[in-house]
Amino acid sequence: FALYVIIFFSAPFVIKTLIDKKLGEHNATLTTRSVLVDLWSARVRVEGFSLAHLGKPLATFETLELNCSYKSVAKGAFIANALFVDGLKLYVHRDQNKTFNFQKIFPPKSAEQKSASPLYFSINNINLKNANVEYKDDILKQTFTLSKADISLPFVSTIPHDTEIFTNPSAKGFFNGSPFAFNAKSRPFAKDLKSELELAIKDVDLSAVNSFLPTSGAIERVGGKLAVALKLSFEKAAQNKTLLTADVNLTEFALRARDASISLKTASIRKIAFSQKPSIHKERGGQTLLIADVDLGGVIFANKNATVSLNSASADKLLYAPESMSVSLDDLTLKKLSVKDANQKEPLLFD
């Protein structure tokens, strides 16, 4: 027992000494304000953590609390009952050589290392509070940020778990300044994969997509603000059961293609519903798409041959059912529709 106590209390000092030596070989430094170890509860608390490379920060956090488990000895794997991190900040940078900043400290594994015995671990009840991630990409010439995020994960593990349990991951915060919230109830390891999830995000700047567009592609530029609120439920059976409902809003949307352009002042699509249930028509799978309400405002479409503009449009209860090969629409209203051919002096007007 005395030997176990000595090992338990000396382990943090020995580990930190070895880490400092290894990091020093790569011009990296690690500092902590304090490290506290509670033998009886098998808990570790780290405060004021900072990891930097050549003076530039890579990762910092204010507090980390790790509740270890004595089951680690019996299981032959590292097991933690809970992990809590407050004030995490990660700085990720990819340079023009496609090299990430952390690879200068932790280089990719060699083929021999990848073939070695895997590391067995299970970290449960993971909670991150006020997490921030900054990703700067020199190739895309973009910076992406995740800020003020609260993230909850049931577990991250490489050892078997109870496959029939439901898990409840969640996240909320700001992505590139846009607020978002995600909640789920899922059975990801069960045969039925039964899952329910909700996602809401507001004021997403679509211009971020432009960095990913191919230079020789048909679409040249995209812009506008997007807001989405959706719910999805899924269950795997002899035929999958899926239900998706969503509300979508676009403002100041603009898309420029090689030969045409389209712009929208506003676009609101409410109560979108897609369902897929078992059907006698296996090739169509009982799919149904319902768009309850659509409102468009300030629509302009233009190419080299014509220009079409529309002051506003609304549609109610658009229903498409592949199983019965039917399409229905309760009401459609178009206001101040204008069509002008390149050879026309005056546009054709409809209302």
Side-chain angles (χ1 to χ4, degrees):
F1 179 79
L3 178 61
Y4 179 78
V5 172
I6 293 172
I7 293 173
F8 191 92
F9 278 102
S10 63
F13 173 77
V14 174
I15 293 173
K16 186 177 185 304
T17 301
L18 293 174
I19 291 176
D20 286 344
K21 181 180 179 182
K22 188 66 177 177
L23 292 176
E25 296 174 1
H26 299 281
N27 298 311
T29 56
L30 184 152
T31 60
T32 57
R33 189 166 60 247
S34 65
V35 178
L36 303 175
V37 179
D38 187 333
L39 171 63
W40 305 112
S41 61
R43 292 187 178 184
V44 178
R45 180 183 175 91
V46 181
E47 295 182 349
F49 175 93
S50 175
L51 174 63
H53 177 251
L54 294 174
K56 297 180 180 180
L58 291 176
T60 66
F61 59 74
E62 184 57 32
T63 306
L64 179 148
E65 295 181 355
L66 184 65
N67 184 1
C68 302
S69 172
Y70 288 115
K71 292 181 181 178
S72 300
V73 179
K75 294 284 188 179
F78 175 73
I79 298 176
N81 294 326
L83 171 64
F84 171 78
V85 182
D86 182 24
L88 175 66
K89 294 181 180 180
L90 297 177
Y91 303 90
V92 184
H93 176 220
R94 185 174 71 155
D95 61 25
Q96 292 288 350
N97 297 320
K98 298 183 179 180
T99 301
F100 290 94
N101 53 349
F102 56 82
Q103 288 180 311
K104 298 172 183 177
I105 303 176
F106 309 105
K109 290 184 177 180
S110 63
E112 183 178 343
Q113 290 173 320
K114 289 181 180 179
S115 62
S117 299
L119 176 64
Y120 293 104
F121 67 90
S122 177
I123 303 176
N124 303 275
N125 300 311
I126 302 169
N127 287 282
L128 308 180
K129 182 181 178 182
N130 193 24
N132 299 269
V133 180
E134 179 183 285
Y135 172 53
K136 184 178 180 181
D137 196 304
D138 289 349
I139 297 175
L140 297 176
K141 297 180 180 179
Q142 282 270 24
T143 298
F144 302 93
T145 60
L146 176 69
S147 57
K148 299 180 181 178
D150 294 340
I151 302 171
S152 176
L153 297 174
F155 58 84
V156 175
S157 177
T158 58
I159 60 178
H161 265 73
D162 183 356
T163 59
E164 296 302 319
I165 64 171
F166 277 101
T167 62
N168 298 91
S170 64
K172 66 177 181 178
F174 296 83
F175 177 73
N176 282 358
S178 302
F180 74 91
F182 168 81
N183 292 281
K185 181 180 180 182
S186 177
R187 201 155 54 181
F189 303 107
K191 291 182 179 180
D192 61 9
L193 297 175
K194 190 172 183 179
S195 302
E196 298 176 359
L197 66 86
E198 297 182 10
L199 173 65
I201 187 165
K202 297 179 180 179
D203 300 327
V204 178
D205 188 352
L206 295 179
S207 63
V209 175
N210 295 322
S211 297
F212 300 93
L213 296 177
T215 54
S216 58
I219 299 176
E220 297 178 348
R221 193 165 188 81
V222 178
K225 297 283 187 178
L226 171 68
V228 177
L230 65 84
K231 295 182 180 180
L232 172 67
S233 61
F234 173 82
E235 183 175 357
K236 186 177 181 181
Q239 287 187 335
N240 297 338
K241 300 177 182 178
T242 305
L243 175 62
L244 171 68
T245 60
D247 291 342
V248 179
N249 287 280
L250 272 172
T251 56
E252 300 297 337
F253 174 76
L255 183 150
R256 188 175 69 199
R258 188 184 306 151
D259 301 317
S261 65
I262 184 170
S263 64
L264 294 167
K265 283 289 185 181
T266 59
S268 175
I269 308 175
R270 297 179 299 278
K271 300 178 183 178
I272 303 172
F274 171 82
S275 65
Q276 183 183 47
K277 297 180 180 179
S279 167
I280 58 173
H281 301 290
K282 293 184 178 180
E283 69 279 5
R284 294 195 286 270
Q287 298 175 0
T288 301
L289 176 64
L290 168 67
I291 302 178
D293 300 293
V294 179
D295 290 298
L296 305 177
V299 184
I300 299 176
F301 171 81
N303 61 19
K304 61 182 180 181
N305 297 318
T307 299
V308 179
S309 64
L310 181 64
N311 185 273
S312 64
S314 62
D316 295 333
K317 295 183 180 178
L318 172 63
L319 175 64
Y320 171 60
E323 186 173 11
S324 58
M325 299 297 288
S326 64
V327 179
S328 64
L329 180 64
D330 277 12
D331 183 63
L332 175 64
T333 303
L334 304 178
K335 292 185 177 181
K336 295 184 179 179
L337 173 63
S338 170
V339 180
K340 186 178 185 300
D341 187 277
N343 299 319
Q344 291 177 312
K345 292 183 178 180
E346 296 296 331
L348 297 175
L349 301 176
F350 303 90
D351 215 349

